[in-house]
């Protein structure tokens, strides 16, 4: 009987390979789970594995180098959803960015310009990590400093940002001896590597693009759509440097915006509400808030004074008060008969304004509602109406939003004679609310946000 010779080929692990254990693989899955798009979810999974590889690699060589990854982009789904690298990783006082590549790569690798051209995400060092997920190991392949990367980009005309906001970086740019990175992390001071300064006018730039962004961001509802497919680079920079807008986009793509609670009947109405939510959020981010907390000290802040807000007397069933305080007393009495409790310690104010020539008055009543079980909370009762004897017009709408989206939108009931619309809100001391009034779809007035700070 003849037997055929058999041979087996065993693929040897590179000597510099870092093994991944089952717990790390599971944790990487958990980090990637909140990402709504399959492609970005897979990249986040690989990025998490690269983080564990890099962390182990450092610990094996120098346990004095502490990796702080709790605030890196992997741990923040809204950032991991848009940034394809591990950014904002700290090693001591150095910022590090991990570029993760799977088991297939060429002479060039993609590097997102988000971590090259936006100062908030620029690191001192970029580290190239290869992850072979199926074999459960990774390799730290090389690194390059930010100044060296920028010098190379400026000197090589063929390397420029692509339409998808990526640079194609030659592998030859990376120092393929990672041990030199250890030397730099041990001996250099972070100040020795100059990083770009973060502009101090981010909010002004965002405010200037409110109109454009409100017509564009709603188009990101489909998780498969990338930012670069909807926004130009300047608009992208504005969005990517606004954590609140990134949270809004993430909630939009995961169907967790407050606006999803509204069962709008048409696609047009839904789109209109999304655009309104975007405008409200940008105003919440960029406009200073009226501090209702100061009212408890019988004070108006500068914003309230500049907008001609008027503080009303404290609530007292025995006090004889005159209009507009008398009007508010009548309204709140009606609300209290409906079960709404307003403590005597609450303070109120009002502002009169015009909407398309129609006189309106907004009353705001605020109080500290903190308890042992729910500390640092406050209530804001908003009452919007037309000064007596006027009534609200039929096509009038009253909208309130916070950073999570549209909280409510009320309309005048044509079957009833609405004197006023109202809502009572509850928030933490760091939460703000913004009010918008509108007539039809073309005329609206958004008032400055309301916040709450009782410190003096």
């Amino acid at each position: 009987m003849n037997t055929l010779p058999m041979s087996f080929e065993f693929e040897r692990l590179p000597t510099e390979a870092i093994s991944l254990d089952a717990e790390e693989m599971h944790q990487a899955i958990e980090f990637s789970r909140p990402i709504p798009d399959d492609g970005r979810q897979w990249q986040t999974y690989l990025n998490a594995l690269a983080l564990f590889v890099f962390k182990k690699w450092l610990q094996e060589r120098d346990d004095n180098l502490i990796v702080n990854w709790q605030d890196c982009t992997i741990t923040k789904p809204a950032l991991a959803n848009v940034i394809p690298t591990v950014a904002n990783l700290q090693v001591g006082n150095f910022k590090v960015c991990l570029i993760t590549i799977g088991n297939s790569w060429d002479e060039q690798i993609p590097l997102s310009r988000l971590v090259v051209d936006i100062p908030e995400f620029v690191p001192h060092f970029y580290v190239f990590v290869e992850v072979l997920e199926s074999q459960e190991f990774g390799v730290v392949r090389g690194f390059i400093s930010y100044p060296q990367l920028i010098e190379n980009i400026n000197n090589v005309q063929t390397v420029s940002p692509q339409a998808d906001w990526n640079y194609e970086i030659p592998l030859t740019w990376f120092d393929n001896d990672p041990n030199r990175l250890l030397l730099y992390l041990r001996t250099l001071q972070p100040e020795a590597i100059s990083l770009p300064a973060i502009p101090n006018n981010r909010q002004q730039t965002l405010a200037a693009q409110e109109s454009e962004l409100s017509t564009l961001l709603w188009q990101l509802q489909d998780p498969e759509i990338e930012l670069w497919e909807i926004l130009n680079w300047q608009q992208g920079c504005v969005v990517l440097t606004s954590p609140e807008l990134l949270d809004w986009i993430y909630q939009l793509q995961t169907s967790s915006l407050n606006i999803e609670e509204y069962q709008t009947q048409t696609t047009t109405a839904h789109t209109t509400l999304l655009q309104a939510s975007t405008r409200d959020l940008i105003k919440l981010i960029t406009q200073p808030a009226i501090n209702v907390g100061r009212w408890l000290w019988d004070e108006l802040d500068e914003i309230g004074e500049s907008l001609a807000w008027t503080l009303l007397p404290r609530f007292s069933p025995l006090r004889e008060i005159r209009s507009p305080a008398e009007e508010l007393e009548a309204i709140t009495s009606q609300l209290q008969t409906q079960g709404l409790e307003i403590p005597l310690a609450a303070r109120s104010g009002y502002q009169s304004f015009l909407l398309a020539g129609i006189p309106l008055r907004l009353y705001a009543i605020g109080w500290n509602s903190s308890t042992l079980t729910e500390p640092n909370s406050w209530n804001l009762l908003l009452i919007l109406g037309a000064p007596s004897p006027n009534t609200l017009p039929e096509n009038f709408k009253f909208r309130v939003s916070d950073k999570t989206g549209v909280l409510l939108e009320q309309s005048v009931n044509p079957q009833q004679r609405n004197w006023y619309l109202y809502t009572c809100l509850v928030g933490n001391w760091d939460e703000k609310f913004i009010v918008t009034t509108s007539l039809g779809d073309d005329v609206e007035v958004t008032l400055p946000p309301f916040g709450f700070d009782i410190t003096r």
Side-chain angles (χ1 to χ4, degrees), residues 46 100-110 128 130-132:
L46 293 180
T100 309
I101 300 296
N103 55 7
S104 61
W105 35 281
D106 209 339
E107 295 179 354
Q108 295 179 322
I109 60 172
F128 171 28
E130 179 188 9
V131 172
L132 285 83

Side-chain angles (χ1 to χ4, degrees), residues 37 69 82 166 188 204 221 230 250 268 386 390 438 441-442:
D37 171 68
W69 56 273
V82 295
N166 279 327
L188 280 182
Q204 294 92 320
Q221 292 178 82
I230 301 298
Y250 177 73
T268 301
N390 301 311
S438 62
D441 296 328
D442 300 323

Side-chain angles (χ1 to χ4, degrees), residues 18-29 31 42-56 74 86 98 100 129-134 136-139:
I18 303 294
S19 297
L20 293 160
D21 58 39
E23 182 180 351
E24 290 164 336
M25 304 286 283
H26 175 73
Q27 193 171 2
I29 292 174
F31 278 130
W42 176 253
Q43 185 62 52
T44 302
Y45 171 64
L46 293 180
N47 285 343
L49 294 178
L51 171 61
F52 298 137
V53 167
F54 180 69
K55 188 169 176 287
K56 278 185 172 180
I74 286 295
V86 183
L98 303 183
T100 309
V129 181
E130 179 188 9
V131 172
L132 285 83
E133 181 268 346
S134 61
E136 300 181 1
F137 76 87
V139 180

Side-chain angles (χ1 to χ4, degrees), residues 325-338:
E326 184 178 30
E327 183 179 57
L328 177 60
E329 186 76 17
I331 295 173
T332 54
S333 295
Q334 290 182 8
L335 296 179
Q336 286 172 323
T337 61
Q338 299 173 21

Side-chain angles (χ1 to χ4, degrees), residues 150-344:
I150 295 302
E151 181 181 342
N152 291 353
I153 290 175
N154 291 336
N155 290 337
V156 180
Q157 295 182 353
T158 57
V159 177
S160 60
Q162 305 299 304
D164 61 356
W165 296 356
N166 279 327
Y167 289 96
E168 292 295 327
I169 303 299
L171 288 179
T172 55
W173 287 10
F174 290 87
D175 188 327
N176 61 8
D177 183 2
N179 289 319
R180 272 196 281 268
L181 174 62
L182 291 173
L183 176 64
Y184 296 149
L185 293 174
R186 289 169 180 153
T187 61
L188 280 182
Q189 293 298 317
E191 296 77 17
I193 300 177
S194 297
L195 298 182
I198 297 176
N200 57 10
N201 64 339
R202 292 297 195 198
Q203 288 198 356
Q204 294 92 320
T205 305
L206 173 58
Q209 298 204 30
E210 174 193 325
S211 178
E212 296 177 14
L213 292 176
S214 65
T215 62
L216 294 172
L217 292 184
W218 68 270
Q219 300 177 49
L220 292 165
Q221 292 178 82
D222 186 343
E224 294 184 1
I225 297 178
E226 302 284 351
L227 292 184
W228 60 267
E229 297 179 88
I230 301 298
L231 307 176
N232 62 37
W233 175 244
Q234 289 71 28
Q235 294 163 343
C237 287
V238 170
V239 170
L240 287 158
T241 53
S242 171
E244 296 90 346
L245 273 183
L246 288 177
D247 284 339
W248 187 91
I249 292 170
Y250 177 73
Q251 292 168 12
L252 176 69
Q253 294 189 340
T254 55
S255 300
S256 55
L257 274 180
N258 276 325
I259 199 170
E260 302 298 333
E261 299 176 6
Y262 291 87
Q263 300 299 318
T264 50
Q265 296 180 351
T266 66
T267 302
T268 301
H270 184 71
T271 299
T272 300
L273 204 55
L274 280 175
Q275 292 175 333
S277 173
T278 310
R279 291 195 301 272
D280 290 347
L281 176 59
I282 292 175
K283 287 185 173 70
L284 275 168
I285 297 169
T286 59
Q287 292 187 2
I290 298 170
N291 183 7
V292 178
R294 290 277 293 275
W295 297 2
L296 303 184
W297 301 101
D298 293 322
E299 297 173 351
L300 279 174
D301 64 354
E302 293 181 2
I303 304 300
E305 289 180 347
S306 68
L307 296 171
W309 273 82
T310 302
L311 276 183
L312 295 174
R314 293 181 181 274
F315 284 95
S316 172
L318 301 177
R319 182 185 293 270
E320 290 292 333
I321 50 180
R322 296 178 294 177
S323 182
E326 184 178 30
E327 183 179 57
L328 177 60
E329 186 76 17
I331 295 173
T332 54
S333 295
Q334 290 182 8
L335 296 179
Q336 286 172 323
T337 61
Q338 299 173 21
L340 179 63
E341 296 183 4
I342 304 174
L344 293 179

Side-chain angles (χ1 to χ4, degrees), residues 5-32:
M6 299 179 65
S7 64
F8 296 89
E9 292 186 3
F10 294 93
E11 187 173 351
R12 295 182 178 179
L13 292 180
T15 56
E16 65 272 25
I18 303 294
S19 297
L20 293 160
D21 58 39
E23 182 180 351
E24 290 164 336
M25 304 286 283
H26 175 73
Q27 193 171 2
I29 292 174
E30 293 304 309
F31 278 130
S32 66

Side-chain angles (χ1 to χ4, degrees), residues 360-380:
L360 297 174
R361 181 174 292 155
L362 176 65
Y363 293 102
I365 305 172
W367 63 91
N368 183 0
S369 55
S370 301
T371 64
L372 290 176
T373 56
E374 295 185 7
N376 303 331
S377 62
W378 70 296
N379 280 68
L380 179 65

